[in-house]
PDB file of all heavy atoms in Angstrom:
ATOM      1  N   TRP A  66     331.012  69.743  68.557  1.00  0.00           N
ATOM      2  CA  TRP A  66     332.422  69.167  68.476  1.00  0.00           C
ATOM      3  C   TRP A  66     332.467  68.096  67.447  1.00  0.00           C
ATOM      4  O   TRP A  66     333.586  67.514  67.330  1.00  0.00           O
ATOM      5  CB  TRP A  66     332.803  68.714  69.923  1.00  0.00           C
ATOM      6  CG  TRP A  66     332.645  69.779  70.963  1.00  0.00           C
ATOM      7  CD1 TRP A  66     331.688  69.868  71.948  1.00  0.00           C
ATOM      8  CD2 TRP A  66     333.537  70.907  71.116  1.00  0.00           C
ATOM      9  NE1 TRP A  66     332.020  70.988  72.767  1.00  0.00           N
ATOM     10  CE2 TRP A  66     332.970  71.648  72.250  1.00  0.00           C
ATOM     11  CE3 TRP A  66     334.636  71.412  70.483  1.00  0.00           C
ATOM     12  CZ2 TRP A  66     333.553  72.881  72.702  1.00  0.00           C
ATOM     13  CZ3 TRP A  66     335.205  72.664  70.838  1.00  0.00           C
ATOM     14  CH2 TRP A  66     334.640  73.340  71.999  1.00  0.00           C
ATOM     15  N   SER A 178     329.744  78.816  75.640  1.00  0.00           N
ATOM     16  CA  SER A 178     330.992  79.092  75.120  1.00  0.00           C
ATOM     17  C   SER A 178     331.795  80.034  75.923  1.00  0.00           C
ATOM     18  O   SER A 178     333.002  80.226  75.702  1.00  0.00           O
ATOM     19  CB  SER A 178     330.911  79.539  73.624  1.00  0.00           C
ATOM     20  OG  SER A 178     330.423  80.830  73.557  1.00  0.00           O
ATOM     21  N   TRP A 298     326.651  83.141  65.867  1.00  0.00           N
ATOM     22  CA  TRP A 298     327.147  83.801  67.082  1.00  0.00           C
ATOM     23  C   TRP A 298     328.601  83.687  67.239  1.00  0.00           C
ATOM     24  O   TRP A 298     329.274  82.813  66.697  1.00  0.00           O
ATOM     25  CB  TRP A 298     326.499  83.131  68.379  1.00  0.00           C
ATOM     26  CG  TRP A 298     326.681  81.601  68.365  1.00  0.00           C
ATOM     27  CD1 TRP A 298     325.827  80.741  67.749  1.00  0.00           C
ATOM     28  CD2 TRP A 298     327.609  80.852  68.969  1.00  0.00           C
ATOM     29  NE1 TRP A 298     326.205  79.477  67.876  1.00  0.00           N
ATOM     30  CE2 TRP A 298     327.359  79.492  68.666  1.00  0.00           C
ATOM     31  CE3 TRP A 298     328.752  81.007  69.848  1.00  0.00           C
ATOM     32  CZ2 TRP A 298     328.125  78.352  69.122  1.00  0.00           C
ATOM     33  CZ3 TRP A 298     329.449  79.932  70.274  1.00  0.00           C
ATOM     34  CH2 TRP A 298     329.155  78.614  69.990  1.00  0.00           C
ATOM     35  N   GLU A 299     329.177  84.693  67.930  1.00  0.00           N
ATOM     36  CA  GLU A 299     330.654  84.739  68.082  1.00  0.00           C
ATOM     37  C   GLU A 299     330.954  84.028  69.360  1.00  0.00           C
ATOM     38  O   GLU A 299     330.342  84.207  70.412  1.00  0.00           O
ATOM     39  CB  GLU A 299     331.030  86.176  68.268  1.00  0.00           C
ATOM     40  CG  GLU A 299     331.066  87.075  67.024  1.00  0.00           C
ATOM     41  CD  GLU A 299     331.636  88.412  67.287  1.00  0.00           C
ATOM     42  OE1 GLU A 299     331.127  89.098  68.168  1.00  0.00           O
ATOM     43  OE2 GLU A 299     332.560  88.848  66.591  1.00  0.00           O
ATOM     44  N   CYS A 300     332.113  83.174  69.267  1.00  0.00           N
ATOM     45  CA  CYS A 300     332.556  82.580  70.522  1.00  0.00           C
ATOM     46  C   CYS A 300     333.740  83.516  71.049  1.00  0.00           C
ATOM     47  O   CYS A 300     333.999  84.516  70.340  1.00  0.00           O
ATOM     48  CB  CYS A 300     333.108  81.173  70.195  1.00  0.00           C
ATOM     49  SG  CYS A 300     334.703  81.171  69.197  1.00  0.00           S
ATOM     50  N   SER A 301     334.360  83.174  72.121  1.00  0.00           N
ATOM     51  CA  SER A 301     335.359  84.123  72.572  1.00  0.00           C
ATOM     52  C   SER A 301     336.562  84.268  71.805  1.00  0.00           C
ATOM     53  O   SER A 301     337.415  85.190  71.980  1.00  0.00           O
ATOM     54  CB  SER A 301     335.676  83.892  74.072  1.00  0.00           C
ATOM     55  OG  SER A 301     335.588  82.514  74.311  1.00  0.00           O
ATOM     56  N   ALA A 302     336.826  83.352  70.847  1.00  0.00           N
ATOM     57  CA  ALA A 302     337.939  83.414  69.920  1.00  0.00           C
ATOM     58  C   ALA A 302     337.695  84.580  68.944  1.00  0.00           C
ATOM     59  O   ALA A 302     338.615  85.087  68.389  1.00  0.00           O
ATOM     60  CB  ALA A 302     338.143  82.098  69.232  1.00  0.00           C
ATOM     61  N   ARG A 303     336.482  84.946  68.737  1.00  0.00           N
ATOM     62  CA  ARG A 303     336.084  86.045  67.828  1.00  0.00           C
ATOM     63  C   ARG A 303     336.712  85.951  66.477  1.00  0.00           C
ATOM     64  O   ARG A 303     337.192  86.871  65.892  1.00  0.00           O
ATOM     65  CB  ARG A 303     336.543  87.516  68.395  1.00  0.00           C
ATOM     66  CG  ARG A 303     335.616  87.723  69.682  1.00  0.00           C
ATOM     67  CD  ARG A 303     335.979  89.131  70.301  1.00  0.00           C
ATOM     68  NE  ARG A 303     335.153  89.414  71.397  1.00  0.00           N
ATOM     69  CZ  ARG A 303     335.373  89.007  72.640  1.00  0.00           C
ATOM     70  NH1 ARG A 303     336.375  88.141  72.833  1.00  0.00           N
ATOM     71  NH2 ARG A 303     334.571  89.334  73.525  1.00  0.00           N
ATOM     72  N   MET A 304     336.641  84.762  65.889  1.00  0.00           N
ATOM     73  CA  MET A 304     337.214  84.577  64.481  1.00  0.00           C
ATOM     74  C   MET A 304     336.098  84.729  63.469  1.00  0.00           C
ATOM     75  O   MET A 304     336.415  84.545  62.311  1.00  0.00           O
ATOM     76  CB  MET A 304     337.947  83.260  64.423  1.00  0.00           C
ATOM     77  CG  MET A 304     339.252  83.216  65.122  1.00  0.00           C
ATOM     78  SD  MET A 304     340.166  81.607  64.946  1.00  0.00           S
ATOM     79  CE  MET A 304     340.484  81.737  63.167  1.00  0.00           C
ATOM     80  N   GLY A 305     334.939  84.896  63.898  1.00  0.00           N
ATOM     81  CA  GLY A 305     333.832  85.014  63.010  1.00  0.00           C
ATOM     82  C   GLY A 305     332.459  84.583  63.817  1.00  0.00           C
ATOM     83  O   GLY A 305     332.576  84.352  65.151  1.00  0.00           O
ATOM     84  N   TYR A 306     331.388  84.347  63.123  1.00  0.00           N
ATOM     85  CA  TYR A 306     330.183  83.921  63.761  1.00  0.00           C
ATOM     86  C   TYR A 306     330.020  82.369  63.419  1.00  0.00           C
ATOM     87  O   TYR A 306     329.963  82.013  62.322  1.00  0.00           O
ATOM     88  CB  TYR A 306     328.998  84.701  63.123  1.00  0.00           C
ATOM     89  CG  TYR A 306     329.070  86.205  63.433  1.00  0.00           C
ATOM     90  CD1 TYR A 306     329.895  86.951  62.823  1.00  0.00           C
ATOM     91  CD2 TYR A 306     328.191  86.681  64.381  1.00  0.00           C
ATOM     92  CE1 TYR A 306     329.903  88.336  63.056  1.00  0.00           C
ATOM     93  CE2 TYR A 306     328.051  88.111  64.591  1.00  0.00           C
ATOM     94  CZ  TYR A 306     328.977  88.910  63.950  1.00  0.00           C
ATOM     95  OH  TYR A 306     328.966  90.276  64.163  1.00  0.00           O
ATOM     96  N   HIS A 307     329.810  81.583  64.484  1.00  0.00           N
ATOM     97  CA  HIS A 307     329.618  80.101  64.280  1.00  0.00           C
ATOM     98  C   HIS A 307     328.141  80.025  63.757  1.00  0.00           C
ATOM     99  O   HIS A 307     327.208  80.500  64.494  1.00  0.00           O
ATOM    100  CB  HIS A 307     329.784  79.363  65.604  1.00  0.00           C
ATOM    101  CG  HIS A 307     331.165  79.140  65.940  1.00  0.00           C
ATOM    102  ND1 HIS A 307     331.959  78.227  65.214  1.00  0.00           N
ATOM    103  CD2 HIS A 307     331.911  79.644  66.895  1.00  0.00           C
ATOM    104  CE1 HIS A 307     333.191  78.076  65.785  1.00  0.00           C
ATOM    105  NE2 HIS A 307     333.178  79.057  66.775  1.00  0.00           N
ATOM    106  N   MET A 359     338.372  77.422  59.767  1.00  0.00           N
ATOM    107  CA  MET A 359     337.869  76.898  60.979  1.00  0.00           C
ATOM    108  C   MET A 359     338.311  77.832  62.259  1.00  0.00           C
ATOM    109  O   MET A 359     339.346  78.409  62.134  1.00  0.00           O
ATOM    110  CB  MET A 359     338.512  75.527  61.182  1.00  0.00           C
ATOM    111  CG  MET A 359     338.120  74.458  60.120  1.00  0.00           C
ATOM    112  SD  MET A 359     336.278  74.415  59.727  1.00  0.00           S
ATOM    113  CE  MET A 359     335.741  73.540  61.165  1.00  0.00           C
ATOM    114  N   CYS A 360     337.479  77.700  63.234  1.00  0.00           N
ATOM    115  CA  CYS A 360     337.724  78.548  64.437  1.00  0.00           C
ATOM    116  C   CYS A 360     338.838  77.918  65.348  1.00  0.00           C
ATOM    117  O   CYS A 360     338.855  76.650  65.426  1.00  0.00           O
ATOM    118  CB  CYS A 360     336.421  78.813  65.165  1.00  0.00           C
ATOM    119  SG  CYS A 360     336.597  79.994  66.541  1.00  0.00           S
ATOM    120  N   SER A 361     339.607  78.681  65.996  1.00  0.00           N
ATOM    121  CA  SER A 361     340.609  78.242  66.844  1.00  0.00           C
ATOM    122  C   SER A 361     340.092  77.630  67.994  1.00  0.00           C
ATOM    123  O   SER A 361     340.773  76.876  68.777  1.00  0.00           O
ATOM    124  CB  SER A 361     341.649  79.377  67.199  1.00  0.00           C
ATOM    125  OG  SER A 361     340.958  80.315  67.882  1.00  0.00           O
ATOM    126  N   CYS A 362     338.785  77.800  68.362  1.00  0.00           N
ATOM    127  CA  CYS A 362     338.199  77.313  69.599  1.00  0.00           C
ATOM    128  C   CYS A 362     337.941  75.775  69.429  1.00  0.00           C
ATOM    129  O   CYS A 362     337.662  75.026  70.422  1.00  0.00           O
ATOM    130  CB  CYS A 362     336.910  77.944  69.898  1.00  0.00           C
ATOM    131  SG  CYS A 362     335.598  77.528  68.710  1.00  0.00           S
ATOM    132  N   GLY A 363     338.015  75.227  68.197  1.00  0.00           N
ATOM    133  CA  GLY A 363     337.798  73.775  68.054  1.00  0.00           C
ATOM    134  C   GLY A 363     336.417  73.311  67.641  1.00  0.00           C
ATOM    135  O   GLY A 363     336.181  72.333  67.386  1.00  0.00           O
ATOM    136  N   ARG A 364     335.480  74.349  67.720  1.00  0.00           N
ATOM    137  CA  ARG A 364     334.063  73.970  67.445  1.00  0.00           C
ATOM    138  C   ARG A 364     334.061  73.860  65.866  1.00  0.00           C
ATOM    139  O   ARG A 364     334.704  74.652  65.125  1.00  0.00           O
ATOM    140  CB  ARG A 364     333.130  75.070  67.860  1.00  0.00           C
ATOM    141  CG  ARG A 364     332.898  75.114  69.287  1.00  0.00           C
ATOM    142  CD  ARG A 364     331.968  76.211  69.790  1.00  0.00           C
ATOM    143  NE  ARG A 364     331.922  76.153  71.316  1.00  0.00           N
ATOM    144  CZ  ARG A 364     332.815  76.782  72.008  1.00  0.00           C
ATOM    145  NH1 ARG A 364     333.791  77.467  71.512  1.00  0.00           N
ATOM    146  NH2 ARG A 364     332.760  76.707  73.296  1.00  0.00           N
ATOM    147  N   ASN A 365     333.303  72.827  65.462  1.00  0.00           N
ATOM    148  CA  ASN A 365     333.161  72.541  64.020  1.00  0.00           C
ATOM    149  C   ASN A 365     331.987  73.216  63.333  1.00  0.00           C
ATOM    150  O   ASN A 365     331.649  72.770  62.179  1.00  0.00           O
ATOM    151  CB  ASN A 365     333.388  71.106  63.728  1.00  0.00           C
ATOM    152  CG  ASN A 365     334.794  70.684  64.032  1.00  0.00           C
ATOM    153  OD1 ASN A 365     335.699  71.281  63.682  1.00  0.00           O
ATOM    154  ND2 ASN A 365     334.932  69.595  64.716  1.00  0.00           N
ATOM    155  N   LEU A 366     331.222  73.975  64.024  1.00  0.00           N
ATOM    156  CA  LEU A 366     330.235  74.768  63.418  1.00  0.00           C
ATOM    157  C   LEU A 366     330.852  75.916  62.382  1.00  0.00           C
ATOM    158  O   LEU A 366     331.704  76.516  62.963  1.00  0.00           O
ATOM    159  CB  LEU A 366     329.311  75.569  64.408  1.00  0.00           C
ATOM    160  CG  LEU A 366     328.595  74.687  65.301  1.00  0.00           C
ATOM    161  CD1 LEU A 366     327.992  75.416  66.570  1.00  0.00           C
ATOM    162  CD2 LEU A 366     327.365  73.910  64.630  1.00  0.00           C
ATOM    163  N   LEU A 368     331.916  79.083  59.940  1.00  0.00           N
ATOM    164  CA  LEU A 368     331.931  80.399  60.281  1.00  0.00           C
ATOM    165  C   LEU A 368     331.446  81.320  59.263  1.00  0.00           C
ATOM    166  O   LEU A 368     331.447  81.023  57.979  1.00  0.00           O
ATOM    167  CB  LEU A 368     333.429  80.909  60.620  1.00  0.00           C
ATOM    168  CG  LEU A 368     334.080  80.304  61.795  1.00  0.00           C
ATOM    169  CD1 LEU A 368     335.593  80.775  61.785  1.00  0.00           C
ATOM    170  CD2 LEU A 368     333.485  80.616  63.034  1.00  0.00           C
TER     171      LEU A 368
HETATM  172 ZN1   ZN B   1     334.930  79.512  67.867  1.00  0.00          ZN
END
Side-chain angles (χ1 to χ4, degrees):
W66 305 108
S178 74
W298 47 280
E299 287 185 306
C300 71
S301 39
R303 292 183 178 81
M304 289 183 67
Y306 296 74
H307 283 288
M359 298 308 288
C360 186
S361 63
C362 72
R364 290 179 183 82
N365 291 317
L366 294 168
L368 293 176

